[in-house]
Amino acid sequence: GSLPWPCPQHPPESNVESVRAKLLDRSRVGIAKYGATTVDAGLTRHDWLNHLQQELMDGAVYCEAAMQIEGKS
């Protein structure tokens, strides 16, 4: 089963808390930039998939850049 939260025997993992804080910060930035949340953005499924594709392509470029740096070390 699932553990009750908060669970005194297992405090939140620091890496999970770090990601959670970053997600909340990105949400605030996105709301300020676009004036909407992902809930009320009014995008179609195709729009969301297009955004995802663009983000994944950016991620692939970042990965390649990091790998190139590693190869030159």
Side-chain angles (χ1 to χ4, degrees):
S2 62
L3 297 172
W5 197 259
C7 180
Q9 296 89 356
H10 301 283
E13 183 181 341
S14 62
N15 291 324
V16 172
E17 290 302 307
S18 177
V19 170
R20 189 171 80 110
K22 289 175 183 176
L23 283 168
L24 289 171
D25 186 56
R26 282 191 54 81
S27 178
R28 289 183 188 106
V29 169
I31 292 168
K33 183 174 180 179
Y34 300 108
T37 67
T38 57
V39 173
D40 56 23
L43 299 179
T44 66
R45 185 171 194 265
H46 184 269
D47 292 336
W48 285 117
L49 290 170
N50 187 51
H51 283 297
L52 174 60
Q53 183 182 51
Q54 292 172 5
E55 295 293 338
L56 291 171
M57 288 188 291
D58 288 345
V61 172
Y62 304 152
C63 182
E64 181 64 22
M67 291 170 67
Q68 292 296 326
I69 291 169
E70 287 294 314
K72 295 176 182 174
S73 299

